[in-house]
Amino acid sequence: MKKQILQQRLAGQDFVLLDGAMGTMLLAAGLKLGENSELFALAQPEVLLDIHRQYMAAGSNIIYACTFGANARKLAGSGHTPEEVISRAVQIAKQAAQDTDTFVALDIGSLGELLEPAGTLRFEQAYAMFKEMVLAGAAAGADLIAFETMTDLYELKAAVLAAQENCDLPIFCTMTFDKNNRTFSGVSVAAMACLLNSLDVAAIGVNCSPGPEGILPVIQEMVQYTNLPLIVKANAGLPNPQTGAYDIAPEEFARQMLPFADLGVQMLGGCCGTGPAYIAALKQALAGARRGQRQLVKQSAVCSPTRLVQLNQPLIVGERLNPTGKKVFQQALRDDNIDYILARAIEQQEAGADILDVNVGLPGIDEPAMLARVIKALQGAVDLPLQIDSSNPEAIEAGLRVCNGKAIVNSVNGKAESLATILPLVKKYGVAVIGLTLDENGLAQTAEQRLQIAERIMQAALAEGIAPEDIYIDCLTLTVSAQQEQARETLAAMRLVKERLGLKTVLGVSNISFGLPQRELINQTFLSMALAAGLDLAIINPNIPAMTDTVAAARVLLNYDRGGAAYIQRVAGETGRPAENNAVSVADSAQSAEQALLKAVHKGLKSEVRQLTVQLLQDKEPMQLINGLLIPALDEVGQFYEQERIFLPQLINSAAAASEAFEVIKAQIIKQGRAGVSKGKILLATVWGDIHDIGKNIVKVILENYGYQVVDLGKDVPVQTVVETAIAQDIRLIGLSALMTTTVASMEQTIAALHASGHACHIFVGGAVLTQEYAAAIGADFYAKDANQSVQIAKTVLG
Amino acid sequence: MSAFVLPTMSEMQIEQLQIDRAEALRYLRWQSTEKLSPEMAEQLGRAENDILAAAQPRFVYKCFAIENVTDKVCLQGSGLVLAGRDIACLLQNAGECLLLAATLGNRVDEIIRRAEICDISRALLLDASASAAVESLCEQLQDALREQLQAQGIYMTARFSPGYGDLPLSCQPQFCATLDTVRSIGLTVSQSGLLLPRKSVTAVIGLLTEPPAAAQLTLKHNCAACRLKNCPYRRK
């Protein structure tokens, strides 16, 4: 009942007054800094009740229950549960609001811990904590849920999902922005709006942050990206470091809040430093104000947390994260070599991709789990929006769930079953979708037939509640060497889709040339034609300059790149182009190529090492190169390091350069379908709770150079994962890293668990706070004082 | 304690963050006698520039009256207790102290993380430069505060962080909660006590009306007294 009344209010013209600070009021009542405010408030319910009543008397239409930090993490060890604290706090707020038309919000703040990949809190753990709070608040009778003071879009997504899946209350979302209109974690205003627009939330906005004047530019930007009702809950300026007092008085605060009314902001209130006098002043100031009309926003866009990508000019979707036809990529998936995939992603971003397609479908791979894992890892490596590419609905959902930002689903098609399974996922996770113009009858042969399928997909998507701006149509590229007449139909269909349906179009281009010589020429020409026909998203290999050049040129010719500014900059600086291969001429004869390679490894010259390796592989066996050249070179560098003739950065430089050579050699071996060159498997992990993994990564590079196969479990690895992997893959040498005294405890637990499992293995440990004695005391077999020593240990154990 | 005015955070802008290369080299375990090769100098210079470009230096500080100094220190209006002989020594005769937290922000962690995937040697240089940069941020802030306070007859002790000497790292969560660092500068403490973003510092500085004793100015992490005899970062 109250939900409908609230929704009517949000749809209406009147301002809605929120309340002011809770913490500031509690500090005035004796709360100590750093103390748990929720528990303090519950210990004196009459004080809390009075605060709510003061705000209502000042004019607040919505009061926030004292539940901001009542999460499992902050209450741990207090003897109280979130459920208990929340239901009591909501009851008190409801008691204050009884017999009035004031609404009570379940107030949920940031959990106070960074989520992966920046921190150690898992997305799923964050979801579980929010869910617990939402269930308690809904059961206690809150009228709405207000998520506030968020700085991480990923955390906010976990929160919104937890609310949507566990109650039907309206959801408010406000984030805190710093200078430059970014949150502390770098989320842009446009990205926040883009993600939340299509998730089903009731209102969005800003809270906390500097005073109202600091928030003004944020809201000025926000109105350009959303049609949702807006919220501003501002601080009373900045606190004084001596007195703790904030520097803006109530009347001045109210005056500074008025410009938000002009911008069309509907809900206004106060955050840190404000009190009832501020809300009263605000009410008075708004009494004569009119809410400004907002411009209707219509945009096709996707985003990562830091980057909005609008489909307002032809864009490049990188196609390289896909195992189809790529043996090295397939091997990386089988070996769990996520770093290989990440490196391909970074390469594409540097080459100019705007969006990355992600496909990990391979027989024998648990696709839902792998897709979720790869997407999480990608989010720590690139900041591009993702296009989730799978034919498995379960995998698509697993990917969508953990994706930070607004993604594209690739794809749905005209088949009834596909429409029925994929479109609800697209709607639920608020993403865009690619519709393939095929159905139960197979591939449509004519442009008209393709249009008909596109229209059917569009109608089904609209009926599901998906906005037309989020539907992109793929008119399907067929191989011109097999079906020559089809290229023209594809192009004609694209024109029809754009003209008659007004939808965006997408096309995988590279398929067109299959089976023809000089594929690049056919691809480039077809891409030009497709761009002329109105292609919006070109799925291509961005590492091929001819392709990205064509898109850059088309942006000029089609009048998107105004004045050709981006094009000119690109040509002048060759930005976005992968480095050209300036074949080195250091090697005239085989003898000098070998010497040149040794020298290049010593000096840490990566591109030279790569080129020389390619050259030497033409007439040398891979093993000859490894054992005859690279290993001796590394041994020598290692000795220099021991003798302090060179220092750590130089050692690492050489190791990194040598690993370029190994990568080239490994790729060749895989392509030839031969068995790898492993001297044995070593498991490496940075222990649970620790995320300092640079040392472990250095060890990995060096061990791999010596021919060991490293199974890298990454950082913050649970004890059980180490044990299970060691047993499952029968790994006999295990390296653990921990940087902090606080995480050595977790190293000790991992070692104890390995011993308890009965799995026969040797364990070596490293990290800044460890010593030989300490390592022995926690049960390790070896202590590696540096990366170089880990090679000696590996030789001792594995040979 | 005599009345003085502590500059507000907005008056305390750090115009240009600096990186002390000698400090970065110490993190790289570079022996000071060894001259940098031109290539290495160039690579390190690039890493320093990348860190300076990515850094979003933020800080917060707050002044607290000291309630008592025995084997532990209690601060007025705060639930924070600072335990240990070292902190008691630092704050001897200090009527007030500053709690300070500073961070370079997430971007720095991000670029190091990315470099670790594609270019481990660059990651190493970035990591060392970032450690030196957050140290410099604190130094610069400290210098600016010292200048303002000394003009008012207030002296500052050295800066002392949880984890130094016998001040336990376990006070970190309460320390950060007292400064509300999550809200004010986006600094969090993980379950295992790590400061995140990684390149961050928390510290205490004592305020005195008399020039501090020598020990109060030199007290910091004491390598000579530390049990990690073969720590690679040990100052010689």
Side-chain angles (χ1 to χ4, degrees), chain A residues 615-671:
Chain A
Q615 190 182 332
L616 283 164
L617 272 177
Q618 286 167 4
D619 47 29
K620 274 200 185 311
E621 279 297 306
M623 290 317 293
Q624 210 182 338
L625 213 52
I626 292 175
N627 293 326
L629 272 176
L630 290 167
I631 299 282
L634 286 170
D635 280 341
E636 192 174 27
V637 172
Q639 274 164 20
F640 283 2
Y641 174 72
E642 293 293 332
Q643 294 158 3
E644 297 196 352
R645 286 168 66 185
I646 61 166
F647 298 101
L648 186 66
Q650 294 150 305
L651 174 75
I652 306 308
N653 252 345
S654 293
S659 76
E660 294 279 325
F662 286 107
E663 214 173 279
V664 172
I665 295 171
K666 211 157 74 182
Q668 167 126 339
I669 290 172
I670 291 175
K671 274 185 196 143

Side-chain angles (χ1 to χ4, degrees), chain A residues 73 241-242 381 606 689 697, chain B residues 4 6 63 114 116 119 189 192:
Chain A
R73 181 182 180 265
Q242 247 167 324
K606 291 170 198 139
N697 287 338
Chain B
F4 66 94
L6 186 64
C63 184
R114 282 176 198 173
E116 281 181 49
D119 189 344
V189 186
S192 51

Side-chain angles (χ1 to χ4, degrees), chain B residues 177-189:
Chain B
T178 303
L179 285 176
D180 202 359
T181 56
V182 175
R183 263 185 207 247
S184 50
I185 59 170
L187 172 61
T188 67
V189 186

Side-chain angles (χ1 to χ4, degrees), chain A residues 27 31-35 68 73 110 112-114 117-121 129 148-149 151 176 178-179 183-186 207-208 235 238-244 247 271-272 306 339-340 342-343 346-347 349 377 379-383 603-606 641 644-645 647-650 652-653 655-656 660 688-695 697-698 701 715 739-743 768-774 783 785-786, chain B residues 3-10 13 25 27-31 33-35 37 39-40 43 56-58 60-64 67 75-80 96 98 105-107 109-110 112-128 169-170 172-174 176-199 227-233 236:
Chain A
L27 282 170
L31 171 74
K32 285 184 168 184
L33 284 173
E35 249 187 335
F68 180 88
R73 181 182 180 265
S110 152
E113 197 174 336
L114 289 190
T120 56
L121 187 67
M129 280 196 260
E148 58 167 352
T149 324
T151 58
T176 300
D178 196 23
K179 285 162 275 181
T183 71
F184 288 147
S185 77
N207 81 295
C208 215
N235 286 357
L238 291 166
N240 181 291
Q242 247 167 324
T243 62
D247 63 0
C271 199
C272 304
T306 54
D339 277 359
Y340 175 84
L342 300 185
I346 293 171
E347 190 175 274
Q349 172 158 24
Q379 288 167 172
V382 289
D383 59 355
K603 298 201 102 176
L605 304 172
K606 291 170 198 139
Y641 174 72
E644 297 196 352
R645 286 168 66 185
F647 298 101
L648 186 66
Q650 294 150 305
I652 306 308
N653 252 345
E660 294 279 325
W688 177 248
D690 207 326
I691 62 159
H692 300 84
D693 63 349
I694 192 163
N697 287 338
I698 287 171
V701 169
K715 61 192 181 186
L739 196 86
M740 307 279 292
T741 42
T742 46
T743 51
V769 297
L770 288 167
T771 60
Q772 182 78 53
E773 299 74 40
Y774 202 178
Y783 163 64
K785 75 171 166 42
D786 55 32
Chain B
F4 66 94
V5 180
L6 186 64
T8 65
M9 263 87 76
S10 43
Q13 297 301 332
L25 286 173
Y27 296 130
L28 290 168
R29 308 182 203 175
W30 199 279
Q31 312 297 314
T33 51
E34 189 72 14
K35 209 172 149 327
S37 67
E39 294 91 10
M40 194 53 78
Q43 285 175 24
Q56 308 143 303
R58 289 190 289 261
V60 59
Y61 52 86
K62 193 163 166 40
C63 184
F64 288 89
E67 281 184 341
L75 307 177
Q76 217 171 64
S78 148
L80 180 67
E96 287 165 279
L98 295 180
N106 280 332
R107 259 308 274 156
D109 287 3
E110 251 170 56
I112 298 172
R113 198 166 58 231
R114 282 176 198 173
E116 281 181 49
I117 298 161
C118 294
D119 189 344
I120 191 77
S121 49
R122 184 163 162 265
L124 185 72
L125 300 182
L126 288 172
D127 191 73
L169 260 183
S170 56
Q172 207 74 278
Q174 189 67 19
C176 288
T178 303
L179 285 176
D180 202 359
T181 56
V182 175
R183 263 185 207 247
S184 50
I185 59 170
L187 172 61
T188 67
V189 186
S190 80
Q191 295 285 356
S192 51
L194 307 182
L195 290 181
L196 299 172
R198 282 173 45 194
K199 301 302 176 187
R227 64 177 175 77
L228 287 175
K229 297 299 177 210
N230 51 3
C231 166
Y233 306 107
K236 289 183 178 152

Side-chain angles (χ1 to χ4, degrees), chain A residues 465-734:
Chain A
I466 297 164
E469 293 81 24
D470 288 332
I471 308 167
Y472 314 154
I473 297 297
D474 185 339
C475 293
L476 293 172
T477 302
L478 297 175
T479 303
V480 78
S481 59
Q483 290 169 280
Q484 196 169 358
E485 71 293 349
Q486 280 294 322
R488 265 169 45 175
E489 294 298 323
T490 303
L491 295 172
M494 280 174 54
R495 289 197 188 88
L496 288 174
V497 166
K498 296 226 71 153
E499 282 162 20
R500 306 238 185 114
L501 305 180
L503 300 181
K504 299 289 179 188
T505 57
V506 52
L507 204 57
V509 175
S510 311
N511 227 7
I512 191 83
S513 60
F514 192 78
L516 286 176
Q518 283 271 26
R519 289 188 64 181
E520 202 172 300
L521 180 57
I522 298 284
N523 287 347
Q524 190 184 3
T525 308
F526 185 60
L527 176 61
S528 301
M529 296 166 93
L531 289 164
L535 178 62
D536 296 292
L537 292 177
I539 306 179
I540 58 174
N541 179 357
N543 301 325
I544 297 175
M547 299 300 275
T548 47
D549 284 347
T550 302
V551 174
R555 285 175 184 170
V556 178
L557 297 170
L558 297 170
N559 197 27
Y560 293 109
D561 181 2
R562 302 312 294 268
Y567 176 79
I568 292 166
Q569 198 191 354
R570 177 188 170 88
V571 174
E574 295 290 272
T575 48
R577 258 179 193 242
E580 296 276 340
N581 270 349
N582 304 319
V584 256
S585 53
V586 274
D588 297 327
S589 67
Q591 182 59 32
S592 63
E594 288 173 7
Q595 277 169 352
L597 181 63
L598 287 179
K599 202 168 153 197
V601 168
H602 267 274
K603 298 201 102 176
L605 304 172
K606 291 170 198 139
S607 53
E608 277 83 348
V609 168
R610 182 169 274 273
Q611 287 163 33
L612 287 162
T613 308
V614 171
Q615 190 182 332
L616 283 164
L617 272 177
Q618 286 167 4
D619 47 29
K620 274 200 185 311
E621 279 297 306
M623 290 317 293
Q624 210 182 338
L625 213 52
I626 292 175
N627 293 326
L629 272 176
L630 290 167
I631 299 282
L634 286 170
D635 280 341
E636 192 174 27
V637 172
Q639 274 164 20
F640 283 2
Y641 174 72
E642 293 293 332
Q643 294 158 3
E644 297 196 352
R645 286 168 66 185
I646 61 166
F647 298 101
L648 186 66
Q650 294 150 305
L651 174 75
I652 306 308
N653 252 345
S654 293
S659 76
E660 294 279 325
F662 286 107
E663 214 173 279
V664 172
I665 295 171
K666 211 157 74 182
Q668 167 126 339
I669 290 172
I670 291 175
K671 274 185 196 143
Q672 292 171 344
R674 290 198 277 169
V677 280
S678 175
K679 287 189 188 159
K681 266 191 191 179
I682 302 173
L683 185 154
L684 290 184
T686 297
V687 299
W688 177 248
D690 207 326
I691 62 159
H692 300 84
D693 63 349
I694 192 163
K696 184 253 325 168
N697 287 338
I698 287 171
V699 169
K700 174 184 173 186
V701 169
I702 293 188
L703 287 174
E704 283 180 339
N705 282 351
Y706 274 87
Y708 298 103
Q709 186 191 343
V710 174
V711 176
D712 179 10
L713 295 181
K715 61 192 181 186
D716 191 23
V717 183
V719 171
Q720 239 4 69
T721 310
V722 175
V723 176
E724 282 163 12
T725 312
I727 295 171
Q729 302 200 31
D730 193 25
I731 303 175
R732 299 308 174 112
L733 180 57
I734 289 154

